[in-house]
Amino acid sequence: MTTQVETTVRSPEAYALAHRAVDAMQAASVWPTPLNFELWLHYLGDPEGTLGQEISRLLATGAPFTDSTAEMLAAEFLPRGRLSEEIRDAGAVLNRELAAVAGAIDKARESQATYGNTLAEAADRMANSGTPDDLTDLVACLADATRRIRRHTAALERRLESSNREVTKLRDHMEQVRRDAMTDALTNLANRKAFDEHLLRLCDQAENGGGSLGLAIIDIDHFKRFNDTWGHQTGDQVLRYVGSVLGRVSRAPRIAARYGGEEFAVIFPGETAGAIEAALNAIREEIASRALRRRSTNDDLGAVTISVGFGVRRAGESAGQLLARADEALYASKRSGRNKVTAAAEAVSDAA
C-alpha cells in the first residue's frame, strides 16, 4: 500500500526499488518521467494493491502507456493527484457560480437602468400632462415597470441564495479535502505535513507567548520483525493499533501524528516535563498491555512495545532543534533496552 512504499523509499531498500522501477519501465517501453517513476515505485512496492493491479491490467492489454494514462492513474490512485483533481473541480464549480452571479447582476443592472429611464420619462410626462387619462396611462406604465423590476430583483435574490448555498457546500467540501490531505490514511492521525505545520506554529506561539511546549517521538520496537514474520498487512494492523491508542489519549490541545514509517509524534502544548513523562509512560504501558492477534489467522503476535524520547522546548529553540533533541532521546531509549521513555535532558547526560 502507499504508506508502505513511502516507508521503503526512506530506507536502504529504496535504491534497490529504484533500480527495479527503472528496469521495469524500460522492459515495458515506458518513458522514465518523474510521474511514471513514482507510479512504478508504488506498482513494484505493492503489486497487489489497487494501483499495482490496475497497472498490471493495463500492461497486459499491450496498449502504449501514454502521458494521459499516467495522469489518469495519478489522479485516481496517488493522494496528491486526487487532491489536485479535487481542487480543479472546486475551481470549476466556483467559476460557474461566479459567472452565473455576474450574469444575474448584469441583468439586474440593466433592469435598474431601464427603470430609471422609465421614471425620468414619467416625470417629464407628468410635468406636461393635463388630463386624467394621461395620468391614468402614466400610472399604469409605472406600475408595469415596477412589477418588472420586482421580478428581476426577486430573480437576482434567488440566484444569489442558490449560489450562496452552492459556495457553502463547496467550502465545506474543500475543508474536508484539506483535512483528508493532512490526515494519515492508515492511522487516521495527522500526517507528516500536518505535524510539521503544527510544530512550527506552536513553536512560534511558545516563543512569543512564553508558554511551554513538549514534543515526543515514538518508535515501535522491532517493527521490521512484524513485517518480515507476518507480512505488511499485519504490520499495518500494528500501526493502526498504536495509532488508535495515541489518538485516544492525545485529545486537543495535544496533537498526535504519524511521523513516518513506524514512528509517531505527539505535541504537548502547555504541559510540564513531569506531566508529559507520566502521559507517555501511561501510553507505553497501555500499548504493551494487550497481546495482539493476527486478524486473518488468529495467530498470537505477542505484545507490542514502544521506545519514546521527548523534550520540552527551550527559550529560543527552533522546531528543528527541539525535534533533534527528542529524536536523540528516542535513540537513548533504544540503546538502553527499548520499551522505555527518555527525556532529552537524560539523553544528553547519557551521551556525555
Side-chain angles (χ1 to χ4, degrees), residues 167-237:
V167 171
T168 298
K169 286 167 53 180
L170 180 62
R171 183 184 62 212
D172 292 343
H173 176 66
M174 290 307 297
E175 176 60 23
Q176 182 61 50
V177 170
R178 187 194 68 81
R179 285 195 296 269
D180 290 345
M182 304 292 272
T183 301
D184 176 66
L186 181 65
T187 63
N188 211 32
L189 299 177
N191 62 17
R192 177 64 180 272
K193 175 178 172 60
F195 165 78
D196 289 340
E197 291 184 4
H198 283 305
L199 185 61
L200 286 171
R201 176 177 56 82
L202 291 170
C203 278
D204 287 342
Q205 288 181 3
E207 183 69 18
N208 296 328
S212 65
L213 181 68
L215 171 65
I217 303 297
I218 299 164
D219 186 84
I220 300 175
D221 294 330
H222 305 297
F223 180 73
K224 189 174 185 297
R225 185 185 303 166
F226 284 103
N227 278 340
D228 291 346
T229 304
W230 304 104
H232 291 310
Q233 288 187 339
T234 301
D236 288 349
Q237 179 184 340

Side-chain angles (χ1 to χ4, degrees), residues 39 57 64 109 134 141 154 228 244 256 260 321 332 336:
L39 289 169
R57 186 190 67 78
R109 187 182 297 115
D134 290 338
C141 178
D228 291 346
S244 69
Q321 290 168 331
S336 60

Side-chain angles (χ1 to χ4, degrees), residues 1 5 8-9 14 16-48 51-60 63-67 69-71 73-74 77-78:
M1 61 178 300
V5 173
T8 302
V9 297
L17 179 60
H19 284 301
R20 287 174 55 209
V22 172
D23 291 343
M25 282 189 287
Q26 184 175 11
S29 299
V30 174
W31 292 110
T33 65
L35 180 56
N36 285 343
F37 183 68
E38 183 176 6
L39 289 169
W40 248 252
L41 286 177
H42 287 280
Y43 168 42
L44 295 177
D46 185 19
E48 299 305 316
L51 173 58
Q53 292 180 10
E54 180 62 14
I55 291 179
S56 295
R57 186 190 67 78
L58 291 171
L59 293 177
F65 196 91
T66 63
D67 288 344
T69 303
E71 289 170 1
L73 290 173
F77 296 103
L78 297 184

Side-chain angles (χ1 to χ4, degrees), residues 33-166:
T33 65
L35 180 56
N36 285 343
F37 183 68
E38 183 176 6
L39 289 169
W40 248 252
L41 286 177
H42 287 280
Y43 168 42
L44 295 177
D46 185 19
E48 299 305 316
T50 53
L51 173 58
Q53 292 180 10
E54 180 62 14
I55 291 179
S56 295
R57 186 190 67 78
L58 291 171
L59 293 177
T61 66
F65 196 91
T66 63
D67 288 344
S68 61
T69 303
E71 289 170 1
M72 178 272 295
L73 290 173
E76 177 67 22
F77 296 103
L78 297 184
R80 288 190 301 278
R82 289 198 296 272
L83 178 58
S84 297
E85 193 69 27
E86 294 277 5
I87 292 172
R88 283 195 295 270
D89 290 345
V93 172
L94 187 57
N95 285 337
R96 185 172 66 247
E97 289 303 315
L98 290 175
V101 170
I105 291 173
D106 285 341
K107 288 183 179 179
R109 187 182 297 115
E110 291 174 4
S111 297
Q112 293 284 358
T114 300
Y115 189 57
N117 292 334
T118 300
L119 291 177
E121 291 174 2
D124 290 340
R125 289 174 60 184
M126 287 179 67
N128 298 322
S129 65
T131 68
D133 289 341
D134 290 338
L135 290 175
T136 300
D137 291 343
L138 182 58
V139 170
C141 178
L142 288 174
D144 184 58
T146 301
R147 283 193 294 270
R148 286 199 302 271
I149 194 66
R150 288 179 62 184
R151 286 197 301 271
H152 290 152
T153 301
L156 175 60
E157 289 175 351
R158 288 194 298 271
R159 176 67 262 184
L160 290 175
E161 288 174 2
S162 174
S163 291
N164 183 59
R165 288 193 298 269
E166 195 67 30

